[in-house]
Amino acid sequence: MKNKYSLKDYLEKYLVFEVDFLTEDVKDKVDVAEDDCYMLCYGFCDEFGKLSFHVLAIGNDVENCTKGLEKATMLKAYDASQMLNYPFVEIVPSRAAKEKCENFLNLKEPLSNDDSLHIARRMPFFDEFRDINYPDIVQAQLLDLEKARIVSLRIVEASTPGIVLAKAIEDDEENNIKKDDLFNIFPSFFDGEKIILALRKEEVVISNADGELVQAEDELERLLISKIEETLEEIKVRIANKEKYKC
């Protein structure tokens, strides 16, 4: 399923979904009337990177979604792949909604805005390559001079400008990859198409003309972009059949 929304539209937001009869799922927790077709939810990534929508309450209107809000626990939780099939709007949460979320999801110490993983989650370029249920996992193109090799990598850090660090999520014998192998991934374009490039971390060693490792962030980013451009040009020349890199 390709997600039509950007991650920043729903992660760590209070959202009311129009869900038709899905509210019947919580009738064991709260009385459900015929016109109760709305769910107040909070989108949250757990410690495993799984995105779920936790149901705080239901109601018959966006502005009247309070049934079950007094319950000590969430009414239910849904995978992102299910909830994002329904339209939603963001709301300003009531104090009761915020307190319920904080108590249940331990939101008093969430990822700070300058946390490198949080920064990566706000990068819109990655959105169309993300796994919908595990949004830190992206489909990337492992650089190879013969053909494109698609690999699934989990973003773990974005602390250096222009560089995002990711890990392999599983063993991949065909591509000689072991689980937790480190890669640097880069948003880029090839032949007019958006792609995510992946280079093994040990392959990304940038030095200046004197062979010294580059320390300045702006120079590091400039040289890194230059290296990627040179590699892409070499690929373009060597692929005789003009095969494109596609996701």
Side-chain angles (χ1 to χ4, degrees):
M1 169 182 178
K2 186 171 182 178
N3 186 8
K4 63 182 177 179
Y5 300 108
S6 177
L7 184 59
K8 63 181 177 61
D9 293 335
Y10 51 82
L11 180 61
E12 298 175 4
K13 300 286 181 68
Y14 292 85
L15 309 171
V16 175
F17 289 82
E18 185 177 357
V19 296
D20 297 324
F21 301 109
L22 194 63
T23 50
E24 289 291 316
D25 288 354
V26 300
K27 63 184 179 182
D28 61 327
K29 303 284 185 63
V30 65
D31 291 334
V32 180
E34 185 176 353
D35 58 351
D36 287 334
C37 298
Y38 295 85
M39 281 183 169
L40 171 59
C41 302
Y42 187 81
F44 183 72
C45 276
D46 64 19
E47 65 270 27
F48 304 106
K50 182 178 182 179
L51 173 64
S52 299
F53 288 94
H54 298 266
V55 182
L56 287 78
I58 64 169
N60 60 5
D61 186 79
V62 171
E63 303 297 331
N64 187 35
C65 210
T66 58
K67 279 188 178 180
L69 200 55
E70 75 288 352
K71 300 286 185 180
T73 61
M74 296 297 185
L75 303 183
K76 197 173 179 64
Y78 292 95
D79 290 347
S81 56
Q82 181 171 5
M83 289 305 291
L84 290 175
N85 286 314
Y86 298 100
F88 63 83
V89 294
E90 182 181 0
I91 66 163
V92 177
S94 65
R95 180 176 178 179
K98 292 176 69 175
E99 287 180 349
K100 182 170 183 175
C101 248
E102 288 177 354
N103 290 335
F104 187 76
L105 298 175
N106 192 25
L107 301 184
K108 294 181 179 179
E109 296 183 8
L111 292 175
S112 62
N113 285 333
D114 60 353
D115 181 278
S116 63
L117 182 56
H118 204 162
I119 291 171
R121 288 174 177 173
R122 296 200 304 268
M123 293 179 175
F125 193 100
F126 291 115
D127 285 335
E128 65 184 80
F129 304 97
R130 297 184 188 275
D131 183 288
I132 192 167
N133 290 319
Y134 292 85
D136 296 329
I137 296 177
V138 296
Q139 295 292 302
Q141 306 270 356
L142 182 64
L143 284 183
D144 188 293
L145 296 183
E146 300 300 327
K147 62 180 180 178
R149 298 181 183 274
I150 299 176
V151 293
S152 294
L153 304 173
R154 183 190 301 277
I155 296 173
V156 295
E157 184 180 311
S159 57
T160 303
I163 301 178
V164 177
L165 184 65
K167 286 184 176 182
I169 64 173
E170 60 186 3
D171 291 344
D172 181 347
E173 293 184 4
E174 180 181 357
N175 292 316
N176 193 28
I177 294 173
K178 297 293 186 182
K179 183 180 179 181
D180 293 334
D181 280 356
L182 292 174
F183 293 82
N184 288 115
I185 60 175
F186 314 95
S188 191
F189 289 86
F190 182 73
D191 205 12
E193 296 184 14
K194 292 170 64 175
I195 60 172
I196 303 297
L197 295 179
L199 286 173
R200 293 182 185 275
K201 189 174 187 298
E202 61 269 19
E203 294 176 355
V204 184
V205 179
I206 307 298
S207 60
N208 59 22
D210 297 322
E212 299 172 342
L213 291 179
V214 175
Q215 299 297 327
E217 290 183 347
D218 55 346
E219 187 177 0
L220 170 61
E221 188 170 2
R222 178 179 60 78
L223 289 176
L224 187 55
I225 291 173
S226 176
K227 179 175 180 177
I228 292 172
E229 289 175 345
E230 290 174 2
T231 304
L232 285 174
E233 185 60 31
E234 185 176 356
I235 292 173
K236 196 170 183 178
V237 170
R238 291 186 58 175
I239 298 178
N241 61 1
K242 307 294 184 181
E243 179 182 353
K244 295 180 179 180
Y245 280 71
K246 294 184 177 180
C247 294

